[in-house]
Amino acid sequence: MMLAGPIVPTILALAAPNVLNVAMMSLVSISDSWFVSQLGIVDLAALALVFPTQMALGQMSAGAMGGGISSSVARALGSGDRAAAEAAAAHALVIALGMAALFAIVFVGFGRQIYGALGGSGRALDGAEAFASVLFLGCAAHWIANSMASVLRGTGDMKTPGYALVLTGALQIPLTGALTLGWFGPPALGIRGPAMASVISFTLAAIWMASRLLGPHAVLKLHWPKGGFRWASFRDILKVGLIACLVVILTNGTVLVVTGLIGRAGDAAIAGYGIGSRLEYMLVPISFGIGATLTTLVGTNIGARQYARAKRLAWIGALMAGAIATAIGFVVAIWPDLWLGLFTSDEGALASGRTYLSIVGPVYGFFGLAMALYFASQGTGEMVWPVVANLSRITIAVCGSLLALDVLGWGVRGLFTFVAMGIVSFSVVLAFSTTRRAWTGA
């Protein structure tokens, strides 16, 4: 199917488990906000402060470095080199452990300074630090689970990681309620509850995923590589994964800077923007539902030197993702309280969120298309253009926002307008990148 099957049925068949997975991820994200909203507006602001770094954990482990892992495995299998694919799996585990340690050092050791720089203060800053300490001290679970899932996806097995993460995510929702609000008897941990629930559920997922690569019927065996660990195998993953992590930093950097600028207006404004931008973040896993499939399909076809088919797969998948994001964007732009009302009734937070969704929501289709093309680009093993696309986005969003606030006096509405323009630029540059040599075999 991956090398010769009809394109749309192949994408749909492989993407279905991923789509179920991202739907569950979205429910988990919504439930986290809802449970924390029951604690009060200050805790909701704390969650908004830490949310970009929380999403960076998921995006880097599953979509960025995970994409590098899937790409390496898929290209090796596409070229018929099973030994290289198994070596990639072993090297992926080592990379996962190293990245988990790095995340713990940065976001636990320097968490208070980071969230304070975003405009957090007082109780909101204390809550952000408490949440981050629990989450990032236990983030090895997230890195191992998502890295092993990426190995399986690289082989074309979308079902195992999809269903494993769906079931553990379904467990995470009531567990979050129990640990946050004290449901079913355990002591209420408050803002720490969602973080603890996430660590527990991903630990179970990591055990599940590793067992499928260690068992007697494993489609790809996880074992100590013959000849030991080699830089060439690390490099094949990192040349995609590290650059993709840079893309995540640039993407989240846009939200972080905007959050800091919004912070001038107080906790209610941060909370409203946090709720609104959470929907934009949820478009990433929605695009990932199709995009993870595109990484594997494009990588396998590039490995087999079927460049024209790889490009057709990428564009058809990207248009599918763009159509879904367009529908979501227009619904929330017209009826923003359908989303915002799930989390707060505070008028200040609602006003900020409505302004954001009315301006940025209509361009969500461009964001969905761009993210799908970004995941497809990982399959080529060439990541220069995704970096250029993200640089154009963050330059327009940040510089334009500062211009709108400090020079033109356009206020928050002007700031959000430049955020929308950055998203359009992101899409246009990535669309252009599919005409370059990585997609043609030249």
Side-chain angles (χ1 to χ4, degrees):
M1 287 182 67
M2 290 193 290
L3 291 173
I7 289 178
V8 172
T10 298
I11 292 175
L12 291 177
L14 294 178
N18 290 334
V19 171
L20 289 176
N21 176 25
V22 299
M24 182 55 67
M25 291 169 61
S26 299
L27 289 176
V28 168
S29 181
I30 292 170
S31 70
D32 281 357
S33 290
W34 188 87
F35 288 127
V36 172
S37 71
Q38 307 307 299
L39 302 174
I41 192 68
V42 173
D43 290 285
L44 196 59
L47 189 65
L49 287 169
V50 77
F51 184 67
T53 56
Q54 179 187 6
M55 287 301 294
L57 170 62
Q59 290 170 354
M60 285 192 184
S61 60
M65 196 64 73
I69 294 166
S70 292
S71 175
S72 182
V73 172
R75 283 183 282 111
L77 291 177
S79 65
D81 192 345
R82 184 181 182 85
E86 293 188 338
H91 287 73
L93 182 57
V94 174
I95 291 171
L97 295 173
M99 291 298 293
L102 177 63
F103 265 65
I105 292 170
V106 172
F107 294 114
V108 178
F110 303 96
R112 191 167 188 85
Q113 293 88 334
I114 292 171
Y115 302 123
L118 295 178
S121 61
R123 289 175 53 212
L125 180 56
D126 292 339
E129 185 181 23
F131 183 99
S133 295
V134 174
L135 179 69
F136 293 112
L137 284 174
C139 72
H142 300 71
W143 275 100
I144 294 173
N146 285 327
S147 296
M148 296 302 96
S150 297
V151 170
L152 290 167
R153 291 190 185 105
T155 69
D157 178 7
M158 304 291 172
K159 290 183 179 180
T160 297
Y163 297 155
L165 292 170
V166 165
L167 291 175
T168 54
L171 171 65
Q172 184 176 340
I173 293 175
L175 186 59
T176 299
L179 296 177
T180 304
L181 304 176
W183 288 2
F184 314 121
L189 300 179
I191 190 69
R192 295 179 177 84
M196 182 63 72
S198 179
V199 171
I200 293 171
S201 66
F202 271 92
T203 298
L204 295 175
I207 294 171
W208 188 335
M209 231 75 68
S211 69
R212 294 306 298 266
L213 290 167
L214 294 170
H217 303 296
V219 63
L220 199 70
K221 281 283 189 179
L222 178 63
H223 58 78
W224 190 274
K226 295 178 180 178
F229 291 92
R230 301 181 178 223
W231 170 242
S233 296
F234 283 121
R235 183 179 58 202
D236 196 57
I237 295 172
L238 294 175
K239 73 178 183 180
V240 175
L242 281 182
I243 297 179
C245 286
L246 175 61
V247 171
V248 172
I249 292 171
L250 293 174
T251 301
N252 284 281
T254 304
V255 177
L256 292 175
V257 172
V258 172
T259 300
L261 294 172
I262 290 291
R264 299 177 185 180
D267 286 347
I270 292 178
Y273 171 66
I275 295 170
S277 63
R278 180 174 286 260
L279 183 59
E280 178 184 329
Y281 270 111
M282 287 174 60
L283 293 179
V284 176
I286 289 172
S287 299
F288 177 75
I290 294 174
T293 299
L294 296 181
T295 301
T296 299
L297 286 170
V298 170
T300 303
N301 281 273
I302 291 291
R305 306 191 65 80
Q306 297 186 166
Y307 294 97
R309 177 176 171 82
K311 186 173 180 178
R312 286 197 303 272
L313 284 160
W315 266 107
I316 291 173
L319 291 172
M320 292 165 65
I324 296 170
T326 297
I328 293 172
F330 276 99
V331 168
V332 297
I334 297 170
W335 300 288
D337 285 11
L338 288 177
W339 173 255
L340 301 172
L342 293 173
F343 310 108
T344 185
S345 58
D346 182 86
E347 281 303 320
L350 287 171
S352 175
R354 287 167 185 156
T355 302
Y356 170 82
L357 291 176
S358 67
I359 295 172
V360 182
V363 303
Y364 276 174
F366 289 96
F367 187 75
L369 179 117
M371 288 307 303
L373 287 177
Y374 157 72
F375 286 119
S377 296
Q378 292 179 326
T380 69
E382 175 57 68
M383 294 296 291
V384 173
W385 280 102
V387 172
V388 173
N390 272 273
L391 285 172
S392 72
R393 179 191 179 193
I394 196 170
T395 300
I396 292 172
V398 173
C399 295
S401 296
L402 291 170
L403 180 67
L405 290 176
D406 298 334
V407 179
L408 301 176
W410 290 353
V412 171
R413 184 170 291 275
L415 183 153
F416 290 152
T417 298
F418 280 103
V419 170
M421 292 171 61
I423 289 174
V424 175
S425 171
F426 179 40
S427 176
V428 170
V429 174
L430 272 170
F432 171 75
S433 74
T434 61
T435 66
R436 302 295 86 196
R437 55 181 285 183
W439 290 94
T440 64

